[in-house]
Amino acid sequence: MFGTQELLLIALVILLLFGGKKIPEMMRGLGKGVHSFKEGMKGIDEPEKDNTEKTEKKSDSDK
């Protein structure tokens, strides 16, 4: 996909555009965003499991 030379060139361009002090702040923000996204996805998956359990209990009590 990308070779070592291409990645180094991209890193150099980013360093020149944003400077050395700004990059850690940007990466920290990106990390928080990814963490928040994962938490949101986890929250979406869990309620579905809860709904399935409630539906199964309801159908068992109907019998």
Side-chain angles (χ1 to χ4, degrees), residues 10 29 49 62-63:
I10 291 170
K49 292 177 185 175
D62 292 342
K63 292 180 181 178

Side-chain angles (χ1 to χ4, degrees), residues 19-38:
K21 292 183 180 179
K22 195 76 170 170
I23 293 174
E25 295 173 15
M26 290 172 35
M27 292 300 113
R28 194 172 300 118
L30 181 66
K32 286 181 181 179
V34 169
H35 180 73
S36 175
F37 179 75
K38 285 183 179 180

Side-chain angles (χ1 to χ4, degrees), residues 7-54:
L7 291 176
L8 288 174
L9 180 64
I10 291 170
L12 180 64
V13 169
I14 290 173
L15 183 62
L16 289 173
L17 288 174
F18 297 107
K21 292 183 180 179
K22 195 76 170 170
I23 293 174
E25 295 173 15
M26 290 172 35
M27 292 300 113
R28 194 172 300 118
L30 181 66
K32 286 181 181 179
V34 169
H35 180 73
S36 175
F37 179 75
K38 285 183 179 180
E39 288 293 319
M41 292 303 293
K42 184 186 263 187
I44 290 172
D45 291 341
E46 290 176 2
E48 291 177 3
K49 292 177 185 175
D50 293 340
N51 290 337
T52 321
E53 292 172 4
K54 289 177 184 176

